[in-house]
Amino acid sequence: MKELEQYVRSIPDFPEEGIIFRDITSILQDPDGLQLAINQMQDLVKDIDFDVVVGPESRGFIFGVPIAYNLKKSFVPVRKKGKLPCETIEKEYSLEYGTATIEIHKDAIKPGQKVVIIDDLIATGGTIEAIIELIEQLGGEVVRIAFLMELKGLEGRKKLDGYDVEAVLQYEGK
């Protein structure tokens, strides 16, 4: 089996010149790559005491659900505004160009529950920062945040200072 890094497709000058886009669809399209990614992400959380996996739409679902299933934990989705059917709380956060709003069901996290957040990528950290605020507003405690990939040049860990952050793959650039 190849190393996980070998499954990542690097696309130069996308979305703009000087950027190397790290495409994970090549991981998802290969059975060995997908299994390797999930296993390595699961290794980042398997020894942590936690109750719930939280994953943001949509790639947090891809990686978070199998990890929750394998470790016999519940899974809580965080979605874009207007996608969840029950009573929610929401958080608006900044994007590179504008803002976005995410939501979580108001009853999704119980006070005192220990939470692991799973997502595919940490770039600027804004989405995860907003998710942390929602979890803590509901009384949950974020005990680890695990990513498949980190773009270190965007310094997303700075927004998550004070939290336990891990990434399977790390790239120096943006």
Side-chain angles (χ1 to χ4, degrees), residues 2 10-11 42 49 86-87 131 142 161 164 168 171:
K2 300 188 291 190
S10 296
I11 303 167
Q42 184 171 300
D49 176 28
C86 296
E87 190 176 359
I131 291 170
V142 176
D161 190 41
D164 185 0
V168 174
Y171 294 96

Side-chain angles (χ1 to χ4, degrees), residues 6 18 35 37 47 50 67 72 75 92 97 130 136 141 161 170:
Q6 295 174 292
Q35 187 172 40
D47 296 325
F50 71 99
I67 292 169
K72 295 181 175 40
F75 178 82
E92 184 177 73
Y97 303 105
E136 290 177 348
E141 175 191 358
D161 190 41
Q170 295 181 334

Side-chain angles (χ1 to χ4, degrees), residues 45-87:
V45 302
K46 69 180 182 184
D47 296 325
I48 300 292
D49 176 28
F50 71 99
D51 307 299
V52 180
V53 173
V54 168
E57 185 175 357
S58 64
R59 292 188 205 151
F61 296 6
I62 293 169
F63 297 107
V65 168
I67 292 169
Y69 176 83
N70 289 339
L71 298 177
K72 295 181 175 40
K73 307 294 181 180
S74 61
F75 178 82
V76 172
V78 173
R79 301 212 54 197
K80 295 172 185 157
K81 185 175 176 67
K83 300 285 186 178
L84 291 171
C86 296
E87 190 176 359

Side-chain angles (χ1 to χ4, degrees), residues 18-39:
I19 301 292
I20 299 175
F21 186 84
R22 308 295 179 174
D23 183 16
I24 68 158
T25 59
S26 49
I27 292 173
L28 302 175
Q29 293 169 344
D30 187 288
D32 291 334
L34 179 59
Q35 187 172 40
L36 194 58
I38 290 169
N39 288 344

